[in-house]
Amino acid sequence: MPLASLPAAAQMFEVKLTWTSEAGTKAIAGWAVRETGQNHGPVDVPAGQKVERIVHWQPARDVPVQNHDLAVTLPGNRGCRATLELKMTYGAAGATVGNPFSCAIVSQSYDRVTCGFSAVGSWTNSYPISGACDVTIGFAAY
């Protein structure tokens, strides 16, 4: 949805994922939104390089949480997985209070690869972008 078409009161968050490979081989990153089934991958991550992707999330009072299933797969069925949770907390009558936005890695697993996941959220309460979630995913094969 283009930002110009959003209603004036809409809150939009930028979600930026950065994959950094320290592996000696190319990896494939998968990224899907659990609630909608929308797939943002596959993303090719060349050996020893960094790749970034940005999407936008518009929370709704009736759907204040969104989960992103993240995966990195290397040759030999090695890889790691994580769940990124985006959450908007609403007060009475749908109003936001304080810093209502959060993003966090809520689960992660590894299989014969070293991965590091982090997520940092920020709240600017401006229009059209009300905040951001910066996610970094670093990985190396062993």
Side-chain angles (χ1 to χ4, degrees):
M1 172 184 308
L3 294 180
S5 67
L6 292 173
Q11 291 167 317
M12 180 70 67
F13 294 90
E14 179 179 277
V15 181
K16 179 174 84 173
L17 271 75
T18 304
W19 293 270
T20 303
S21 171
E22 294 179 13
T25 184
K26 177 180 125 176
I28 302 295
W31 176 15
V33 179
R34 188 179 304 162
E35 288 79 7
T36 65
Q38 183 179 14
N39 192 334
H40 295 290
V43 176
D44 288 335
V45 184
Q49 294 189 27
K50 182 187 296 188
V51 176
E52 292 183 347
R53 294 289 186 270
I54 296 174
V55 297
H56 293 91
W57 175 56
Q58 183 178 9
R61 187 165 168 74
D62 59 335
V63 186
V65 176
Q66 188 176 74
N67 292 283
H68 292 241
D69 293 320
L70 311 173
V72 174
T73 304
L74 285 86
N77 292 322
R78 297 174 293 166
C80 51
R81 297 183 177 281
T83 300
L84 168 67
E85 180 186 77
L86 306 177
K87 186 175 184 178
M88 188 70 177
T89 303
Y90 293 97
T96 58
V97 180
N99 178 356
F101 175 67
S102 65
C103 69
I105 300 295
V106 295
S107 69
Q108 51 191 303
S109 64
Y110 313 90
D111 185 12
R112 295 178 294 135
V113 65
T114 301
C115 292
F117 295 91
S118 71
V120 177
S122 61
W123 168 251
T124 61
N125 199 24
S126 55
Y127 178 82
I129 303 297
S130 298
C133 180
D134 291 316
V135 181
T136 57
I137 304 163
F139 56 92
Y142 61 85

